[in-house]
Amino acid sequence: MTTRTATELITVTSTRRRRTQGRYGWMLSALTWIVALLTVFPFIWMIITAFKSEVDAVTLPPKLFFEPTLEQFQTAFANNFLPFFQNSITSSVVSVVLVMVLALPAAYALSIRPIRAWRDVMFFLLSTRMLPIAGAIIPIYLISNWLGLLDQTVLLIIMYTAMNLPLAVWLIRSFMVEIPKEILEAARVDGANFYQELWRIVWPMVAPGLAATALLCFIFSWNEFFLARSLTSVQAQTVPLYLVGFISTQGLFLAKLSAASLLATLPVVLAGLLAQKQLVRGLSLGAIK
Amino acid sequence: MKVALPLYPTMIVVLLVSQLPFLLTLWYSLNDWNLATSQDGPEFIGLANYAEIFTEPEFLQAAGNTAIMTVGAVLISFIVGLLLALLVNREFRGRGVVRTLLIIPFLVLPAATALLWKNTMLGTTYGIVNWVIGLVGIPPVDWLGQHPMLSVIIILSWQWSPFFMLILLAGLQSEDPSIIEAAKVDGARSFDRFRYLTWRHLRPYSELSVVLGSIYIIQTFDAVYLAAQGSATTNLPYYLYQRAFRGLEIGQASAMAVIVLIATLIIASIGLRVASNLLKSTEGRAS
């Protein structure tokens, strides 16, 4: 009886809400669209400006209709964009692969067959993620110099691997914890050993989560600036440093800057949009589903 | 069988690459060591570096700048992020597209963000912002020259608002809609519903976003280095970079690094407590 009244009430109120949404709702929806477009405007403006000529780029009031040109992209490529791009791809992709290879077994030992001190290990990893990299840069620089690793892509690979490992372990563990207990027990009853369990059961079940983790680590490595600035000088420089160099050699040209920025940003925006559904989870270290 | 073996490679990498350097930083900070002038390497001087940097006006200003920048950007990003989350939590046409659009600022290469805002948005002559305020008769403003700190905070807020929005939106979506409905039936006004129900429900999410956001924003380097170099915006990471790589003052720069570490550790310890609550709720079988 009581439940029925409650259901009835909710039906009544939800029709009422639909009515009020009809009256004010469209205004809020329009407002939301306007706010969203304003927020993303600098990005959209970068795309538009990238296809302008330099003259059109500085015309005021801003030109919305103009003759698009690929000239700025040609300048960017002529200005040696590709080596930087390759360095970014190599350091990001290789470090992501290493992170996954290291994090997968570690997450396993922290969730599916947890060691006794799993909680301590988790917090230890998290605390390293929270420490500012500026606090470690001097010894890292001196040791790398001593080992002859400065300005080498391999150094960035090592640094990005260590930087993303704690995040990846936290995230992958959160996916593993969700595997139903019964499936693992059934496999163990059937006599599956450690590797069979890992590769036949755990791996396929966490694969989508791993993909999202990999994309997130890729984004963080690609966007990283402080380590790249401090540890490379000429041959291992990555895309963010290309932009810096571009500004100092080409001067301030808005269209060229926009084209170069678009090229530099595109891989990460694509990766981010692909990983969109898992973005919250990654950013909250697996705490929020 | 409980094996720790799969854990070793990860632990070794983390210990070697991210723990050892912090210990070395601590050790360097107790030494007098300038790469340009000290021929025979470091010389132990105890806490003298700390005594020195704390009497240095530039260091104190950098510490103050770091606090203003972090608090300012976190506060604005949180408020904007909350408003955005509330807006996109409603049902409306194109919600998916709008959410996607709102995430983009967080993904854009931070170096590109800093340069584009500096030149195309906040530029004095050709900047869009000055053109827009010019339409209503406000004279152009030299944003980065006259208001460098505000400019950096604007840039950081643009970049970080989506981060706060995503976490707060997850919080809003985990709220039980029937409680809100019940409150509506009882005649609670929408502001009261927000204040007494939603806001309280959001609390752990707010804490998480503020703690994580602070830890990231306190480390800001790109925006200062690329958009607004100068004493008004020099924060600790940038000042440390200057001292270490331009001044080659290893000892003093290390002492500053230790100060940054302590400040971050204080925030992080709060963060760890928040995380520990969240870990309890996602513990599952592992306990």
Side-chain angles (χ1 to χ4, degrees):
Chain A
M1 181 60 195
T2 8
T3 35
R4 220 176 109 204
T5 3
T7 337
E8 277 166 12
L9 269 176
I10 287 172
T11 334
V12 169
T13 48
S14 61
T15 29
R16 191 188 303 155
R17 186 179 60 170
R18 215 170 293 138
R19 227 180 297 135
T20 52
Q21 266 202 344
R23 208 184 306 152
Y24 303 110
W26 70 269
M27 273 166 32
L28 263 182
S29 305
L31 177 74
T32 311
W33 266 100
I34 293 168
V35 170
L37 290 174
L38 276 178
T39 306
V40 83
F41 175 75
F43 178 76
I44 294 172
W45 197 244
M46 167 184 85
I47 299 177
I48 295 174
T49 313
F51 292 95
K52 285 183 174 175
S53 66
E54 287 301 344
V55 181
D56 285 342
V58 293
T59 310
L60 285 177
K63 262 193 181 174
L64 272 177
F65 301 99
F66 56 93
E67 203 169 321
T69 165
L70 291 176
E71 191 190 328
Q72 315 310 339
F73 294 98
Q74 284 163 356
T75 318
F77 280 107
N79 215 36
N80 240 352
F81 176 70
L82 281 178
F84 293 85
F85 192 78
Q86 275 167 356
N87 286 336
S88 272
I89 291 279
T90 313
S91 51
S92 306
V93 172
V94 177
S95 75
V96 167
V97 171
L98 284 176
V99 164
M100 300 315 271
V101 169
L102 291 167
L104 192 60
Y108 179 89
L110 292 169
S111 58
I112 291 172
R113 295 182 188 215
I115 56 160
R116 208 165 297 140
W118 68 271
R119 203 185 289 264
D120 297 333
V121 175
M122 290 292 281
F123 282 117
F124 167 73
L125 289 173
L126 184 60
S127 67
T128 65
R129 170 78 196 174
M130 289 180 168
L131 293 177
I133 199 73
I137 192 66
I138 293 164
I140 289 171
Y141 182 87
L142 294 173
I143 294 171
S144 312
N145 187 22
W146 178 59
L147 294 171
L149 287 174
L150 282 183
D151 203 16
Q152 307 254 343
T153 306
V154 66
L155 178 59
L156 288 184
I157 292 173
I158 295 170
M159 294 315 301
Y160 293 166
T161 304
M163 175 179 91
N164 283 323
L165 250 182
L167 168 88
V169 172
W170 265 72
L171 209 46
I172 296 174
R173 179 188 174 276
S174 81
F175 290 110
M176 285 184 172
V177 170
E178 283 173 2
I179 300 176
K181 213 175 179 175
E182 297 74 26
I183 296 180
L184 292 166
E185 271 165 8
R188 281 175 206 169
V189 170
D190 290 345
N193 67 25
F194 172 75
Y195 292 103
Q196 284 170 328
E197 186 183 284
L198 190 60
W199 292 110
R200 296 257 175 87
I201 298 170
V202 177
W203 168 262
M205 296 201 74
V206 295
L210 293 181
T213 310
L215 283 169
L216 261 177
C217 295
F218 174 80
I219 294 172
F220 285 126
S221 304
W222 187 277
N223 283 351
E224 204 286 325
F225 184 73
F226 185 68
L227 287 169
R229 171 78 278 185
S230 308
L231 301 176
T232 68
S233 50
V234 185
Q235 54 174 0
Q237 290 201 320
T238 51
V239 161
L241 293 161
Y242 168 81
L243 285 183
V244 180
F246 193 72
I247 289 295
S248 55
T249 55
Q250 300 287 310
L252 264 183
F253 292 110
L254 297 187
K256 285 194 189 71
L257 170 66
S258 300
S261 301
L262 180 58
L263 289 174
T265 297
L266 218 49
V268 164
V269 170
L270 293 178
L273 297 182
L274 277 175
Q276 214 186 123
K277 281 201 175 126
Q278 304 291 355
L279 208 54
V280 183
R281 193 162 171 154
L283 296 178
S284 66
L285 299 158
I288 298 172
K289 297 284 150 8
Chain B
M1 184 192 68
K2 296 191 177 203
V3 276
L5 196 66
L7 207 52
Y8 290 149
T10 290
M11 293 304 270
I12 290 168
V13 171
V14 170
L15 280 170
L16 275 183
V17 184
S18 56
Q19 290 307 96
L20 183 69
F22 287 113
L23 290 176
L24 284 172
T25 302
L26 201 58
W27 168 245
Y28 292 160
S29 76
L30 303 173
N31 284 276
D32 179 22
W33 192 13
N34 183 312
L35 283 183
T37 55
S38 323
Q39 300 301 329
D40 38 347
E43 183 197 337
F44 187 82
I45 52 163
L47 294 173
N49 283 328
Y50 291 91
E52 197 167 325
I53 59 171
F54 271 109
T55 54
E56 213 176 83
E58 292 89 351
F59 172 79
L60 296 176
Q61 196 188 352
N65 285 345
T66 311
I68 295 171
M69 197 182 287
T70 309
V71 172
V74 167
L75 204 65
I76 295 177
S77 308
F78 179 83
I79 294 169
V80 174
L82 180 62
L83 291 176
L84 293 177
L86 286 169
L87 281 177
V88 296
N89 192 36
R90 298 170 53 253
E91 295 277 349
F92 64 96
R93 194 171 291 185
R95 184 162 77 159
V97 182
V98 165
R99 278 190 201 171
T100 306
L101 289 179
L102 288 175
I103 296 171
I104 288 176
F106 184 70
L107 299 173
V108 175
L109 190 78
T113 299
L115 291 171
L116 286 168
W117 270 91
K118 177 185 179 180
N119 299 306
T120 62
M121 292 294 128
L122 298 174
T124 313
T125 322
Y126 302 118
I128 299 287
V129 173
N130 275 348
W131 177 71
V132 170
I133 63 173
L135 294 180
V136 289
I138 302 171
V141 179
D142 179 9
W143 293 98
L144 287 137
Q146 298 296 314
H147 312 284
M149 180 59 94
L150 179 67
S151 304
V152 170
I153 290 178
I154 291 174
I155 297 172
L156 288 174
S157 303
W158 185 73
Q159 189 183 338
W160 286 95
S161 294
F163 171 86
F164 287 82
M165 178 195 78
L166 281 172
I167 291 183
L168 294 170
L169 182 61
L172 287 177
Q173 294 191 326
S174 69
E175 196 178 19
D176 184 357
S178 63
I179 295 177
I180 298 288
E181 288 295 345
K184 258 187 211 171
V185 173
D186 290 346
R189 286 177 308 150
S190 59
F191 179 72
D192 289 334
R193 288 202 303 271
F194 176 76
R195 188 169 149 207
Y196 293 109
L197 297 170
T198 309
W199 179 246
R200 284 188 190 167
H201 169 79
L202 273 184
R203 199 173 153 181
Y205 297 88
S206 308
E207 283 174 358
L208 184 75
S209 67
V210 168
V211 167
L212 289 177
S214 309
I215 288 170
Y216 292 127
I217 294 174
I218 208 173
Q219 304 195 42
T220 297
F221 181 73
D222 321 31
V224 174
Y225 183 92
L226 294 171
Q229 293 189 7
S231 60
T233 52
T234 297
N235 63 349
L236 287 174
Y238 182 62
Y239 190 53
L240 189 160
Y241 170 85
Q242 281 184 315
R243 291 301 286 268
F245 292 101
R246 291 189 198 154
L248 301 174
E249 289 275 5
I250 300 304
Q252 286 187 12
S254 297
M256 286 170 206
V258 173
I259 305 291
V260 179
L261 274 177
I262 292 171
T264 316
L265 274 176
I266 294 171
I267 305 175
S269 64
I270 307 169
L272 287 174
R273 204 177 310 145
V274 177
S276 123
N277 291 334
L278 288 160
L279 196 64
K280 259 179 226 148
S281 59
T282 61
E283 214 161 84
R285 149 190 68 254
S287 49

